[in-house]
Structures are given as C-alpha cells and as structure tokens.
Amino acid sequence: MNTVETALGPVATSELGATLMHEHIVTRSPGVQENSPHLWDRGAILAIAERKMTDLFARGIRAIVDLTTVDLGPDIGLIAEVARRSRVHVIVATGVWWMPQRYFSAHGVDAVADLFIRDISQGIGGSGVKAAIIKCATDTAGVTPVIENILRASALAQKATGVPISTHTWAAGRSGLAQQAIFGQEGVDLRRVIIGHSGDSDDLGYLRELMDRGSTIGMDRFGLEHFLPTAKRVEVIARLCAEGYAGKMVLSHDANCWSDMLTEDAKRRTRPRWHYNHISDDILPALRKAGVKEDQIDQMLVGNPRAIFEARNG
Ligand SMILES: [Zn+2]
C-alpha cells in the first residue's frame, strides 16, 4: 500500500482525495510570539483553525499541504492539534522560505540537507511528525548565495529521501527556470518538483517550459488579486487544460488560518477572496464555465497530488 506521512502519521495515498497543495495553518515571525506570549492566543487560534478545517471538509477537500518552513515560525505541536481536531489530513513540510536565518548561510549544503533529511526520516523536533515534502524559495533577489545553498540542500534531501520538492517563486521574474536548472545539476528528476506560485504568471511560454521539463506547476495563490487577477488565473488554467496540461497543474490558495502579519479583519478588508474556500466556492465553477472538464478538475485536485506523493525516485 502506498502511504504518505501526515501530522497524524502515515495515511494511504488513496485516502487523500481532493488536496490543496500549498496552504498554511499558521504563519508568524520566528521568535516573536515565543518571547511575547501575550501576542499568541493558542486557544483562539485553534478554534479558528478548527472552524476553517470543518468548512473545508464540508466542501469535499480531504487534505492540505502545510508548507510552513522554519523562517515562517511553525509550531508543530499546534499543527498536530489542528489535525487531531479535523477530518482533513494535514501534510507537513521541511525546508526554508526566502527569509532564511543566518544558520543557513553559516552552514554548508550537507549540514542543511541533514536537517531536512532528519525532519523527513525521524520527525520534526521531538514531535515524531515526519515531513513529507521539501519547501524552498527564490524571490525577487534571485539565487543569492544562501538561497543557492538551500536549493542544493533541498536537492540532496530529495535524492536521499524520495519526497517531492515544492517551491516558492517570483513568477514575474521566471525564477522557476533557475530553480529547475539547479535541481537538474544536482541530479533531481524534475518530475518530482512542483514549481509554486506559477499561477501568478500569464506568461504561457514560461509555464509550458516549466511543465515540458517535467515539473508540475502550482496554480496556488487564488484570491491574491494583486499578483494576478482571478479572471486571468482562470483563463490561463483553462487554456493550458485545453492544450493537454491538466496532468501538470495543482491548485491552492497559499492562505492560512492565522497569521501575525494580517488580522482576520484585515484579510477580509484587503483580500476578501483569499481564504480556504475560494477554490471550492468560486474557482471550480469558473473553471467549468471556461470549458475545463470534470475529469481535468479531478486530475488537478485529486489525481496529481496523489501521484506526486506516490512517486518514488526512479
Ligand atoms: Zn506559502
């Protein structure tokens, strides 16, 4: 039986069902809440998360991938508690986002890869929760020395463990191509890579190139209109589905239950559609209207995530 590690232990990949491939439960500034605990109402955050996960389950979503890395202040105990209170599976990541602490430039590729491998093979901290995916990131600054260190460490950890890589990119800078180049140099099979935030781009040539090299692209920021308006995001997916690329795209919001950057009120005011239910409530109907077939939606939401977690290094 094929299984994937989740916050509550291994789950059959056949049980994953509709899966949102890039979300967060909580994102925060590392160190701030730990040292100013009056900013951290764990009970209230758990209650919000429980409600949002219940809403997701009611819409047929059965799993989310929480891509919260060490520089986004994860709390693995809280993630496991949310998973215990929820019927939605939570898959957890190791890795680093684009705000790496100085540890990641002061230590070489092998030391950083060892951290990732430990999270995947033994579990995160003392929690026993094993990461099932590696996150790394390139933003507007491009491949700086510390980012290169992390990208190469991610590649080594991918090859050592067989779990997939999922990235953050600055799509306007076409930074997925630089990521693929580094992974390729390190001998990673690019089919084991998801180039994230590709949905922020309507540069079809760029998106086709990423997929033609084997990777899946993350159409994963629905509701973040300032990167690309919803209508454009839908149009791009419909076009690529019509061209036969449904097997190379996954869907998500990059939303969260709670963040120390934006209150729930501020989210509603400034990004009203940026929440876990936007795809189920608004985007799937819009995709159908744009000509995307039911089996293509199924492939992007169910089939591709399952295949990504079932695949092994060849
Ligand atoms: Zn994210």
Side-chain angles (χ1 to χ4, degrees):
M1 185 177 68
N2 267 306
T3 61
V4 58
E5 291 292 336
T6 74
L8 301 182
V11 163
T13 49
S14 58
E15 296 288 307
L16 288 180
T19 301
L20 300 178
M21 288 294 285
H22 187 143
E23 304 293 345
H24 302 271
I25 292 177
V26 165
T27 65
R28 54 182 189 161
S29 312
V32 173
Q33 281 78 20
E34 295 92 321
N35 287 283
S36 300
H38 65 283
L39 299 175
W40 178 248
D41 187 344
R42 195 175 188 275
I45 293 166
L46 274 172
I48 295 173
E50 191 174 352
R51 177 173 52 74
K52 292 190 180 183
M53 299 293 269
T54 303
D55 286 349
L56 265 182
F57 188 84
R59 284 162 175 78
I61 302 296
R62 293 293 175 265
I64 66 168
V65 179
D66 182 346
L67 289 178
T68 305
T69 52
V70 67
D71 46 337
L72 284 165
D75 177 336
I76 192 64
L78 180 108
I79 292 170
E81 183 58 32
V82 170
R84 271 191 290 276
R85 294 179 180 205
S86 163
R87 297 174 71 189
V88 177
H89 299 298
V90 180
I91 292 169
V92 174
T94 185
V96 188
W97 193 49
W98 60 270
M99 294 178 77
Q101 296 94 327
R102 58 192 173 184
Y103 183 92
F104 297 97
S105 43
H107 293 77
V109 174
D110 290 325
V112 175
D114 283 348
L115 279 189
F116 299 163
I117 292 167
R118 187 185 187 283
D119 284 352
I120 295 160
S121 55
Q122 296 175 50
I124 297 168
S127 68
V129 174
K130 293 177 179 172
I133 192 161
I134 303 159
K135 162 92 166 278
C136 48
T138 313
D139 205 81
T140 48
V143 183
T144 60
V146 62
I147 293 297
E148 180 173 353
N149 204 33
I150 293 163
L151 292 173
R152 292 195 190 280
S154 300
L156 295 195
Q158 195 289 321
K159 287 192 298 171
T161 63
V163 306
I165 292 174
S166 185
T167 74
H168 162 112
T169 60
W170 174 48
R174 299 162 57 95
S175 54
L177 295 171
Q179 294 176 341
Q180 284 184 323
I182 288 175
F183 298 147
Q185 285 166 12
E186 296 291 342
V188 170
D189 178 348
L190 294 181
R191 289 173 301 180
R192 307 306 317 285
V193 175
I194 302 157
I195 302 293
H197 304 337
S198 298
D200 291 351
S201 174
D202 61 355
D203 178 346
L204 293 171
Y206 167 63
L207 300 176
R208 289 187 199 106
E209 193 173 344
L210 293 172
M211 294 186 282
D212 291 344
R213 291 181 181 182
S215 300
T216 297
I217 59 174
M219 312 309 263
D220 54 16
R221 274 177 161 175
F222 277 104
L224 290 176
E225 297 268 337
H226 52 292
F227 289 117
L228 193 70
T230 303
K232 270 273 172 209
R233 290 177 188 271
V234 167
E235 195 183 305
V236 167
I237 293 179
R239 172 77 183 269
L240 291 172
C241 280
E243 292 178 14
Y245 285 107
K248 288 286 181 194
M249 293 188 278
V250 290
L251 308 178
S252 217
H253 308 93
D254 198 12
N256 58 65
C257 295
W258 185 89
S259 163
D260 69 356
M261 206 177 76
L262 276 175
T263 64
E264 289 300 284
D265 251 9
K267 279 185 223 168
R268 273 189 289 270
R269 236 181 12 254
T270 62
R271 297 153 171 81
R273 294 287 172 89
W274 188 48
H275 55 73
Y276 281 176
N277 302 325
H278 184 34
I279 288 176
S280 306
D281 292 353
D282 310 307
I283 298 305
L284 298 185
L287 287 172
R288 290 182 186 109
K289 217 172 142 195
V292 178
K293 303 279 177 284
E294 215 51 46
D295 63 312
Q296 294 172 321
I297 287 175
D298 238 50
Q299 193 160 13
M300 293 186 284
L301 265 184
V302 181
N304 297 341
R306 178 178 175 173
I308 285 164
F309 287 112
E310 276 182 356
R312 299 288 175 262
N313 286 354

